[in-house]
Amino acid sequence: MTGKDQLTIPQDELVEAWRRTLPERLNAGDSAEVRADGTDPGALRVTIHASGRQKYKLDFAVRYLDSREIDVELVDVESGGRSIDEHAEAVRELISDYRRHLHECAQSLHDLTHA
């Protein structure tokens, strides 16, 4: 990575852009919360509330590696307010699906984030 390809957008603008764009990428009935990561200006915290009976809530840390590429880390998965094992097949598929949505959101914001 070169020093030229750093994320230069202010974090508050990045958060607002994600708040506008991410809901368009999610499944019908899902909702998301996007917050600034207090320790890293190039990172966001994203909580996705999945629609459905299980009431899944997935927390992700999204960090920009440069102005285009993000790293998505699963922080926690809850069902009905309790942390659950993320290794169950259905949960792994859900995590994979939401990771893809997060990458799609970042990709759609390239015009904004790419210097």
Side-chain angles (χ1 to χ4, degrees):
M1 176 171 71
T2 65
K4 295 179 188 170
D5 196 23
Q6 303 267 329
L7 185 69
T8 57
I9 182 173
Q11 192 177 37
D12 59 334
E13 289 181 34
L14 187 63
V15 168
E16 284 306 312
W18 272 76
R19 284 179 180 162
R20 282 190 312 272
T21 307
L22 184 57
E24 299 168 3
R25 301 288 183 266
L26 297 178
N27 303 321
D30 292 350
S31 64
E33 300 167 31
V34 179
R35 300 172 306 287
D37 182 307
T39 61
D40 182 349
L44 307 169
R45 294 296 181 150
V46 178
T47 300
I48 297 175
H49 300 273
S51 62
R53 298 189 323 257
Q54 302 298 329
K55 297 196 184 322
Y56 286 121
K57 181 176 105 173
L58 299 92
D59 290 315
F60 294 95
V62 176
R63 186 171 63 84
Y64 275 83
L65 302 174
D66 58 32
S67 68
R68 298 179 194 229
E69 190 71 29
I70 62 169
D71 177 59
V72 177
E73 178 185 337
L74 178 69
V75 177
D76 188 36
V77 180
E78 293 182 3
S79 177
R82 285 190 220 156
S83 287
I84 61 169
D85 179 14
E86 69 266 14
H87 297 96
E89 183 64 29
V91 176
R92 282 202 332 254
E93 288 179 21
L94 199 61
I95 293 166
S96 177
D97 191 36
Y98 288 123
R99 280 183 191 273
R100 183 174 45 79
H101 291 312
L102 293 169
H103 281 280
E104 288 170 357
C105 183
Q107 191 172 29
S108 72
L109 293 172
H110 274 181
D111 288 346
L112 183 67
T113 60
H114 186 59

